[in-house]
């Protein structure tokens, strides 16, 4: 049934789009439109439902549905006859994705996913949908033609039922996208209950939450670590460390090339869904850094260094920015680039070394993934640290040889989108690694990427969604501006360049002007001058990245530490009141906001070092700070010769003692006596 003669076709409208994902569908026989007025106007003029398909470039099941359905001439003919077909790249339009993913949850009774397939009225109202549909019934799913015929029948002959579905979805969007402010107190009880709830569905054997497939979602782990720091209950920290160790040993981690795959399809972190996303790796670098700070385990540092090397090698633009993702598929098959057979390993390493490598990496003749092997070290979990070191001395050069051999394979396609929020998250990850390890290359990579964003993705404080061919494109969303402001504050702490702080304030003030809800508080996901959509969402829950409102709250509190501008603190407090019911009833989904609430309730340790950057004693004091796990802290370095000139309130009255680099630790407007030695500072912290 599938027409493979795509070379005889003329491209559809998507050929002119900049999105790699949309261009992947330019040779489909489907009469695709990009989202826009032309498609919406035609749907109204012809009174046809809209078939909306949302995916992204690195999505495996998006490729499967494209091959099975959108390349199928008969299915495409059915689509073209009855629908106005619209393709959306969720990386370009997360606003549309958010609305219609939440709409799909009403129909599915569970979370959505990609590809997302939604059927809309000409007024953009969803009345039915799902995710992947096969060309014929299988996997307990109806065939796509069957679904379309049912939708057409309903739209033509049962408009009352269609309207009921639309009203049901709209009510759901209003409920989840318009939180009601609460005047109830903001107390530690919210954090205690959230940690308790997370602990109840944490997997005590493998780590992660729930059973079945597992995502390496970071905000809940951050919340559990903060809870240990706050309450001194070590059980929460042990949960996190268990998960970090298991993921680092599992197949979700790329043991040859570094970096994490999207998620595991099992409960043991063994078999991954193979795409690698920039935003996952940015978040995972930082949680592994926290794991290293708490334990100093060499494996955690290795994971960070290998992941950042992967990003440098595979996901870095020549001008310093970061690409979005690497595909799951190559040569038309999922995971083929990453998996191995014993004979392939023997051909590279020789029989004796290959035998030992296969034993430690779980490689067998029968395989663990479609007859081949995903490398993993789960079987080595019981090795002593001494044995681990001995084995590692043997395996490290073997991995180098196998990576060189793997480089000769056909690589998965790279998603070349440069997205502002994802880039800013990776900038923050590089800066965090620079703080922990003092590696100058990490600071250089972060500043280079940040310069790229400021040159191309920002205009007069206004942030664009992405950069294409050296031009900022598409109206930015809340997380784009919020993540950029956070990265600028991180850069200020790492360098003491006042310009970064000024830029962070500009971006934040512009964000508040364009996204803040003056009537009820909190930030909308889209700006006030954005295209009108079905609903203007305002959410405190995390998606694949932390909630934009959570990041904004943290940014506001950090700005308050540096500037003492009360409005920043007041706005953050108002955000917590807006989303109080969300954090109370959805610990997992609102974990990032709960982390920001912890910053608000605990108040940060404000650490001021008076000294010269680059000087040994100054750097020793800073290393003492940055190599400890201090989730709630603000760090300011003031040049000794200019300490009295700073207009930042945090620097007021701070001077060096006897001409030596000097540190102060302040909290709740009270400062410690000054100290000049790292051991003294360590005790204060």
């Amino acid at each position: 049934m599938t027409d493979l003669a795509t070379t005889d076709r003329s491209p559809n409208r998507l050929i002119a789009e900049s999105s790699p994902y949309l261009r992947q569908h330019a040779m489909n026989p489907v009469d695709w439109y990009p989202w826009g007025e032309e498609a919406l106007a035609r749907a109204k003029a012809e009174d046809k439902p809209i078939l909306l398909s949302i995916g992204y470039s690195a999505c495996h099941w998006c490729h499967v549905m494209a091959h099975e359905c959108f390349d199928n001439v008969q299915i495409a003919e059915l689509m073209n006859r009855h629908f106005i077909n619209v393709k959306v790249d969720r990386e370009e339009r997360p606003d549309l994705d958010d609305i219609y993913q939440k709409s799909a949850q009403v129909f599915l009774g569970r979370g959505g996913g990609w590809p997302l397939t939604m059927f809309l009225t000409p007024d953009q109202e969803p009345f039915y949908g799902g995710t992947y549909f096969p060309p014929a019934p299988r996997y307990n799913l109806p065939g796509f033609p069957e679904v379309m015929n049912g939708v057409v029948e309903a739209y033509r002959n049962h408009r009352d039922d269609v309207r009921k579905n639309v009203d049901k979805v709209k009510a759901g969007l209003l409920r989840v996208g318009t939180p009601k402010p609460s005047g109830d107190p903001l107390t530690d009880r919210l954090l205690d209950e959230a940690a308790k709830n997370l602990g109840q569905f944490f997997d005590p054997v493998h780590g992660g939450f729930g059973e079945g497939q597992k995502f390496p979602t970071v905000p809940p782990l951050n919340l559990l670590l903060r809870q240990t720091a706050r309450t001194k209950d070590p059980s929460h920290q042990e949960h996190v460390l268990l998960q970090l160790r298991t993921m680092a040993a599992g197949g979700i981690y790329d043991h040859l090339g570094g970096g994490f795959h999207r998620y595991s399809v099992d409960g043991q972190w063994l078999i991954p869904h193979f795409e690698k996303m920039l935003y996952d790796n940015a978040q995972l670098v930082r949680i592994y850094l926290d794991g290293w700070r708490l334990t100093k385990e060499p494996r955690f540092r290795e994971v960070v260094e290998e992941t950042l090397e992967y990003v440098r090698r595979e996901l870095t633009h020549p001008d310093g920015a970061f690409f979005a993702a690497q595909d799951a598929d190559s040569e038309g098959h999922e995971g083929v680039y990453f998996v191995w057979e014993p004979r392939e390993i023997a051909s590279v390493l020789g029989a004796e070394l290959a035998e030992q490598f296969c034993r430690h990496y779980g490689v067998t003749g029968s395989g663990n993934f479609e007859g081949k092997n995903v490398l993993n070290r789960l079987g080595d979990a019981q090795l002593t640290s001494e044995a681990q070191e001995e084995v590692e001395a043997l395996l490290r050069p073997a991995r180098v040889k196998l990576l060189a051999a793997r480089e000769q394979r056909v690589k998965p396609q790279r998603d070349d989108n440069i997205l502002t929020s994802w880039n800013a998250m990776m900038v923050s990850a590089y800066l965090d690694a620079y703080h922990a390890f003092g590696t100058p290359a990490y600071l250089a990579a972060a500043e280079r990427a940040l310069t790229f964003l400021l040159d191309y993705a920002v205009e007069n404080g206004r942030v664009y969604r992405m950069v294409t061919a050296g031009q900022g494109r598409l109206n930015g969303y809340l997380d784009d501006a919020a993540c950029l402001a956070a990265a600028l504050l991180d850069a200020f702490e790492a360098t003491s360049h006042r310009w970064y702080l000024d830029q962070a304030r500009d971006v934040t003030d512009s964000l508040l002007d364009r996204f803040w809800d003056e009537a009820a508080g909190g930030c909308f996901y889209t700006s006030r001058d954005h295209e009108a959509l079905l609903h203007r969402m305002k959410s405190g829950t995390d998606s694949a990245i932390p909630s934009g409102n959570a990041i904004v709250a943290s940014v506001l509190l950090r700005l308050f530490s540096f500037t003492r501008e009360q409005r920043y603190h007041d706005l953050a407090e108002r955000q917590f009141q807006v989303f109080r019911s969300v954090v109370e009833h959805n610990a997992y989904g609102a974990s990032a906001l709960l982390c920001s609430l912890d910053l608000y309730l605990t108040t940060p340790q404000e650490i001021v070092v008076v000294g010269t950057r680059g000087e040994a004693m100054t750097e020793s004091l800073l290393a003492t700070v940055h190599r400890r796990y201090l989730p709630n802290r603000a760090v300011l370095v003031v040049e000794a010769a200019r300490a009295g000139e700073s207009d930042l309130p945090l620097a007021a009255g701070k001077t060096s003692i006897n001409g030596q680099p000097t540190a102060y630790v302040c909290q709740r407007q009270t400062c410690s006596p000054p100290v000049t030695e790292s051991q003294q500072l360590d005790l204060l912290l």
Side-chain angles (χ1 to χ4, degrees):
M1 285 180 62
T2 303
D3 180 359
L4 299 178
T6 57
T7 55
D8 296 334
R9 299 178 190 156
S10 297
N12 57 46
R13 296 171 188 81
L14 302 185
I15 195 66
E17 294 296 305
S18 61
S19 160
Y21 174 67
L22 296 188
R23 291 198 306 272
Q24 286 175 6
H25 294 80
M27 298 308 296
N28 295 157
V30 178
D31 186 19
W32 287 119
Y33 285 83
W35 181 274
E37 187 55 39
E38 183 182 4
L40 300 176
R42 185 180 166 194
K44 289 182 179 180
E46 299 182 17
D47 191 23
K48 283 185 176 181
I50 295 168
L51 194 164
L52 175 65
S53 176
I54 302 179
Y56 61 100
S57 179
C59 167
H60 169 68
W61 285 102
C62 300
H63 298 328
V64 172
M65 189 166 178
H67 174 69
E68 292 179 340
C69 294
F70 305 147
D71 273 335
N72 182 300
V73 171
Q74 289 90 344
I75 290 178
E77 194 278 329
L78 192 61
M79 294 171 66
N80 296 338
R81 186 185 336 141
H82 295 300
F83 301 95
I84 305 302
N85 303 294
V86 177
K87 235 339 167 169
V88 165
D89 182 346
R90 67 109 172 180
E91 294 175 2
E92 287 190 341
R93 296 301 304 265
D95 54 338
L96 296 172
D97 186 54
D98 184 46
I99 289 171
Y100 294 114
Q101 290 285 357
K102 288 182 169 66
S103 300
Q105 292 171 21
V106 176
F107 302 125
L108 299 173
R110 54 177 171 79
W114 299 280
L116 182 67
T117 308
M118 296 297 293
F119 297 94
L120 320 179
T121 71
D123 291 320
Q124 309 175 33
E125 302 165 318
F127 62 93
Y128 186 70
T131 52
Y132 162 81
F133 289 109
R138 66 169 183 259
Y139 311 134
N140 293 319
L141 293 171
F144 195 39
E146 177 185 344
V147 170
M148 288 191 288
N149 285 328
V151 167
V152 171
E153 165 66 15
Y155 188 76
R156 287 179 177 171
N157 301 318
H158 303 282
R159 289 289 179 100
D160 288 346
D161 292 337
V162 168
R163 178 46 52 188
K164 288 178 183 177
N165 277 6
V166 166
D167 292 342
K168 182 179 179 182
V169 170
K170 283 186 169 181
L173 290 176
L174 186 65
R175 185 174 62 255
V176 301
T178 311
K180 295 180 179 179
S182 169
D184 292 341
L186 299 164
T187 68
D188 289 350
R189 184 187 65 80
L190 293 168
L191 303 174
D192 295 336
E193 287 297 315
K196 178 182 176 182
N197 291 337
L198 289 176
Q200 288 175 345
F201 73 107
F202 189 86
D203 180 345
V205 178
H206 306 291
F209 297 92
E211 300 175 353
Q213 66 183 29
K214 286 179 178 170
F215 290 80
T217 308
V218 171
L221 304 182
N222 283 329
L223 181 59
L224 290 175
L225 287 186
R226 284 171 172 270
Q227 186 72 355
T228 291
R230 196 175 62 80
T231 66
K232 312 307 178 188
D233 179 351
S235 65
H236 302 300
Q237 178 175 308
E238 289 307 313
H239 280 155
V240 176
L241 296 176
L242 167 66
Q243 180 168 336
L244 296 185
R245 293 175 185 130
T246 309
M247 288 197 305
I252 192 173
Y253 184 70
D254 181 354
H255 291 266
L256 299 184
F260 287 86
H261 299 291
R262 181 69 190 94
Y263 63 89
S264 69
V265 300
D266 56 84
Q268 305 174 57
W269 308 105
L270 175 58
I271 305 301
H273 201 29
F274 288 91
E275 67 251 42
K276 293 181 180 179
M277 310 301 297
L278 184 68
Y279 58 75
D280 282 327
N281 285 284
Q283 294 176 82
L284 287 163
V285 160
R286 302 196 71 178
I287 193 69
Y288 273 90
L289 283 166
D290 284 339
W292 178 82
R293 288 182 172 105
L294 288 163
T295 67
K296 300 302 187 289
E297 289 184 22
R299 180 59 179 151
F300 292 162
R301 178 167 183 159
E302 288 171 1
V303 166
V304 169
E305 292 175 337
E306 291 170 359
T307 299
L308 292 178
E309 171 58 20
Y310 160 73
V311 172
R312 184 203 64 78
R313 187 179 68 247
E314 300 289 352
L315 294 181
T316 300
H317 185 280
D319 292 333
F322 305 113
F323 298 121
Q326 190 176 34
D327 210 331
D329 297 15
S330 55
E331 301 182 85
H333 298 282
E334 182 186 13
V336 67
Y337 177 76
F338 298 100
V339 296
W340 293 85
E341 297 179 52
R343 60 177 179 81
E344 295 175 304
I345 294 173
S347 70
V348 176
L349 301 181
E352 183 177 348
L353 181 54
E355 189 276 329
Q356 297 183 69
F357 184 92
C358 290
R359 184 171 71 254
H360 287 289
Y361 278 96
V363 177
T364 65
S366 57
N368 56 27
F369 176 75
E370 298 180 356
K372 297 189 177 184
N373 294 271
V374 175
L375 302 182
N376 71 92
R377 295 287 299 277
L378 292 169
D380 280 357
Q382 303 307 315
L383 289 180
T384 65
S385 57
E386 293 80 7
Q388 288 278 14
E389 290 179 14
E390 184 177 331
V391 168
E392 182 59 18
L394 180 75
L395 298 180
R396 186 179 294 111
R399 291 198 302 269
V400 172
K401 292 179 181 179
L402 288 171
L403 177 61
R406 197 178 77 176
E407 287 284 301
Q408 305 307 309
R409 297 176 178 176
V410 176
K411 284 190 176 184
Q413 185 176 5
R414 185 176 63 197
D415 179 347
D416 288 345
N417 277 336
I418 296 174
L419 305 170
T420 301
S421 56
W422 301 9
N423 267 254
M425 292 170 69
M426 185 54 73
V427 167
S428 293
Y430 266 106
L431 290 169
D432 203 5
Y434 168 70
H435 283 316
F437 305 148
T439 307
Y442 293 161
L443 176 61
E447 289 204 277
R448 197 160 174 248
L450 197 50
T451 299
F452 182 99
L453 293 178
L454 293 172
D455 284 347
Y456 300 117
V458 184
E459 185 176 356
N460 298 323
R462 183 190 187 98
V463 177
Y464 291 103
R465 170 62 177 170
M466 62 197 310
V467 177
T468 304
Q471 296 290 323
R473 287 186 59 246
L474 302 177
N475 195 19
Y477 303 99
L478 178 62
D479 50 18
D480 294 308
C483 289
L484 181 58
L488 287 162
L489 288 175
D490 293 337
F492 174 63
E493 289 197 356
T495 66
S496 304
H497 295 329
R498 177 59 182 270
W499 184 73
Y500 284 132
L501 177 60
D502 294 339
Q503 290 291 308
R505 293 178 72 174
D506 287 348
V507 168
T508 302
D509 290 344
S510 176
L511 178 159
L512 293 171
D513 177 60
R514 299 176 63 238
F515 293 90
W516 185 262
D517 182 355
E518 292 291 347
C523 292
F524 292 107
Y525 188 65
T526 54
S527 62
R528 55 183 169 79
D529 56 353
H530 196 74
E531 165 193 355
L533 299 173
L534 182 65
H535 187 79
R536 194 178 180 199
M537 302 292 288
K538 182 168 61 175
S539 175
T541 55
D542 306 321
S543 58
I545 68 174
S547 153
N549 271 291
I551 300 168
V552 170
S554 173
V555 164
L556 292 171
L557 292 171
R558 293 173 70 189
L559 280 172
F560 173 71
S561 284
F562 289 120
T563 69
R564 287 296 186 268
E565 285 195 36
Q566 189 64 36
R567 67 188 178 103
Y568 291 135
H569 189 275
D570 293 346
L571 289 172
E573 184 175 69
R574 195 171 177 198
Q575 277 186 293
F576 297 129
Q577 291 167 340
V578 168
F579 295 107
R580 190 191 182 287
S581 63
V582 177
V583 300
E584 185 172 19
H585 297 108
N586 190 357
Y588 186 83
S591 288
L593 200 54
L594 282 156
C595 290
S596 296
L597 179 63
D598 176 57
L599 174 61
Y600 167 80
L601 292 173
T602 305
T603 71
Q605 288 180 298
E606 297 168 338
I607 302 152
V608 181
V609 175
V610 182
T612 301
R613 280 195 177 272
E615 185 180 290
M617 285 304 299
T618 302
E619 295 303 323
S620 177
L621 292 172
L622 289 171
T624 300
V625 174
H626 290 305
R627 294 182 182 183
R628 288 183 63 105
Y629 176 69
L630 298 170
N632 297 323
R633 56 119 179 93
V635 180
L636 176 65
V637 179
V638 183
E639 287 288 334
R642 306 180 64 180
E645 301 173 17
S646 176
D647 64 340
L648 294 178
L650 193 54
K654 311 298 192 300
T655 59
S656 63
I657 303 301
N658 299 326
Q660 300 181 71
T662 304
Y664 299 78
V665 178
C666 308
Q667 194 167 23
R668 294 187 173 91
Q669 318 301 321
T670 302
C671 294
S672 70
V675 297
T676 58
E677 295 182 6
S678 296
Q679 296 92 329
Q680 296 171 316
L681 178 57
D682 201 41
L683 289 173
L684 288 178
L685 295 173

